[in-house]
Amino acid sequence: MSLILRRFTPQDLAKVVYINRRCLPENYSESFFMQLYRSFPEAFLVADDGGDVVAYIMCRVERGFFGSPKRGHVISIAVLPQHRRRGIAYALMVEAMKALHALGAEECYLEVRVSNKPAISLYEKLGFKIDRRVHGYYLDGEDAYIMRRKLPLEDEILNRPVRGISRGINPPRSVEGGNE
């Protein structure tokens, strides 16, 4: 059975909260998930495996100060352990960054634990570069890297096939100057 990437719906909330708590030490309240869904539904995506949500990505667009460009922020991404190493996180990241760009973001950034080598490697494959290290960023005291990349995505990233994953995502709503 192939996976389908689609937008999060409120019916997915319990499963997304479960994935977040199972996979990550940083947990969010249900109300935080719903707030981001209501504000940026185009950038809150799930991977659906025959009706079962197995991964998610949750992002938002932030406005800079004093006329600086909008930035996409990957707040959280998680894939259940038994579904890792199948390209799901890569595909979710690509679709989320496409949505962020369509919403007017000119760059994308995220925080990642310095010890999370698989995630850092994934983000580097997607064109992210380490911008800086933030000491004691996480509650347990671990440092984080802030990683950034410009948008839009390059063709070699956009066109990389990911076997077994379908993209059932509705096109993002258009914003002035957001689509090319």
Side-chain angles (χ1 to χ4, degrees):
M1 190 174 297
S2 73
L3 270 90
I4 296 173
L5 303 186
R6 62 173 175 79
R7 288 186 186 174
F8 168 91
T9 67
Q11 293 76 26
D12 300 321
L13 181 61
K15 188 64 182 219
V16 166
V17 169
Y18 167 78
I19 295 167
N20 174 249
R21 295 202 169 128
R22 170 121 191 262
C23 298
L24 301 171
E26 297 76 41
N27 301 140
Y28 303 104
S29 67
E30 289 184 5
S31 62
F32 183 72
F33 283 105
M34 291 306 294
Q35 175 190 355
L36 283 173
Y37 161 69
R38 285 190 293 276
S39 299
F40 303 100
E42 302 89 345
F44 193 159
L45 309 173
V46 298
D48 184 313
D49 187 3
D52 187 28
V53 173
V54 299
Y56 75 90
I57 187 168
M58 176 174 65
C59 309
R60 68 180 171 210
V61 175
E62 299 169 353
R63 298 185 187 279
F65 295 105
F66 308 112
S68 61
K70 292 180 182 177
R71 300 178 306 173
H73 184 181
V74 177
I75 303 290
S76 182
I77 179 170
V79 179
L80 286 172
Q82 64 270 31
H83 293 276
R84 292 180 185 160
R85 313 266 330 134
R86 294 173 55 193
I88 297 170
Y90 186 97
L92 283 170
M93 287 288 296
V94 167
E95 293 303 316
M97 287 190 289
K98 285 167 47 179
L100 291 168
H101 184 249
L103 292 168
E106 295 181 24
E107 75 169 3
C108 185
Y109 79 99
L110 52 83
E111 300 86 6
V112 61
R113 289 175 174 271
V114 297
S115 65
N116 193 344
K117 302 300 185 207
I120 293 166
S121 177
L122 167 69
Y123 302 142
E124 288 173 338
K125 285 178 191 164
L126 288 161
F128 283 83
K129 304 276 187 237
I130 295 172
D131 181 55
R132 69 183 185 277
R133 185 176 186 140
V134 180
H135 296 284
Y137 179 84
Y138 292 100
L139 289 176
D140 63 5
E142 185 171 353
D143 296 352
Y145 288 131
I146 306 298
M147 299 184 76
R148 300 182 181 283
R149 67 149 294 138
K150 297 287 185 194
L151 296 176
L153 296 170
E154 299 81 11
D155 286 342
E156 63 267 16
I157 292 174
L158 284 171
N159 298 327
R160 179 178 178 244
V162 182
R163 284 191 341 195
I165 299 178
S166 302
R167 295 175 174 145
I169 301 167
N170 299 328
R173 69 177 179 234
S174 178
V175 294
E176 190 173 317
N179 289 341
E180 295 185 9

